[in-house]
Structures are given as C-alpha cells and as structure tokens.
Amino acid sequence: MATEVLALDKPRSPKRPAARRSNFELYSWLFMRISGLALVVLVLGHLFIMNILDGGVHRINWGFVAGRWASPFWQFWDLSMLWLAEIHGGNGLRTIIDDYARKDSTRFWLKIVLYVSMVLILAVGTMVIFTFDPGISAN
C-alpha cells in the first residue's frame, strides 16, 4: 500500500505580517464611560453653582469669575471639565469618522482637522484659565 503525499500549491496572495493588536479601542471605550460619569458630576455641579445657588445667573459678572478663578480649586474644576469634555467629545468624533468616512484619505484629513482643533481649543482654554488676570478692567 503506497502512501500518497498530497502537496498544496503556494497561495497566490503574498503573506502579510500578522497584525499587531493593541488595546487602544478597549481603553478608549473605558475612557468614554469613566469620563462620562466624571463629566456628569462636574457639569451638574457647575450648573448648580452657577445658575441656582445664591441668586442664579444675575450675579455672574467679571468680578464673580475673577473671584472664582482666584481659587486653585475652581481652576482645577473648570480645567478638568474643559479637558474631559474636549477629549470625550473628540474621541466620540474620532469614532464617528472611523465609522462613516469611506476613503482612507478622507478619514486621515478629517482626523487631522479634529486633532488640530482639539489641541488648539485645549491650549487656549488652559491658557485662559491659568493666565486670567482679575486686575484687567471689564470695559
């Protein structure tokens, strides 16, 4: 009884290196849940303090903001709200771009515009919070 060896031809498509898997999407998903919960606390606290407590919006003026940002606590509160909201929203838009942009080039340029705008908004917002000078006249 002769044993036959069955030989397969080499595949026509070239071998691709195995894709390196990262956990970026998992961490992104986790960040969205945690930052969303933190933003609920930060934003509801902000709205309660600014709009309901001690007379509501009628007391908000230059002096109120100057007094509020004189405290490192309120600077950190507003900075946390700015950074979490910007990164949370940017991550959501990144996901939408990945889902709906069909061409790689379109996806690339939309993400570039997104990332540049995120960096600019974070830089300007952070600069305003930390360099706010209450001594400047409101006029």
Side-chain angles (χ1 to χ4, degrees):
M1 189 171 188
T3 58
E4 294 182 28
V5 176
L6 181 61
L8 296 175
D9 290 337
K10 291 184 179 178
R12 293 183 198 150
S13 60
K15 287 186 179 181
R16 288 186 290 169
R20 290 184 4 207
R21 297 187 52 93
S22 72
N23 287 330
F24 176 76
E25 290 300 329
L26 172 66
Y27 296 140
S28 174
W29 180 87
L30 192 61
F31 170 78
M32 292 297 276
R33 274 53 186 179
I34 294 170
S35 67
L37 288 174
L39 280 168
V40 166
V41 172
L42 290 170
V43 169
L44 289 179
H46 175 82
L47 290 173
F48 179 75
I49 291 165
M50 300 297 276
N51 297 326
I52 297 172
L53 203 63
D54 290 338
V57 297
H58 301 293
R59 70 185 165 95
I60 298 174
N61 58 19
W62 182 267
F64 177 79
V65 174
R68 181 179 164 107
W69 280 353
S71 166
F73 174 79
W74 291 116
Q75 283 182 328
F76 178 75
W77 184 286
D78 289 345
L79 186 70
S80 299
M81 198 166 40
L82 169 72
W83 276 76
L84 281 175
E86 184 68 32
I87 297 171
H88 183 92
N91 190 32
L93 283 173
R94 180 193 61 81
T95 303
I96 291 171
I97 290 169
D98 283 341
D99 287 347
Y100 291 104
R102 294 177 186 232
K103 293 170 57 178
D104 288 339
S105 61
T106 303
R107 189 176 305 116
F108 172 79
W109 287 111
L110 286 174
K111 284 183 179 181
I112 291 295
V113 169
L114 173 65
Y115 296 150
V116 167
S117 66
M118 285 175 63
V119 167
L120 288 175
I121 290 170
L122 285 174
V124 169
T126 302
M127 186 180 71
V128 166
I129 290 173
F130 284 125
T131 63
F132 182 78
D133 184 10
I136 296 175
S137 173
N139 296 329

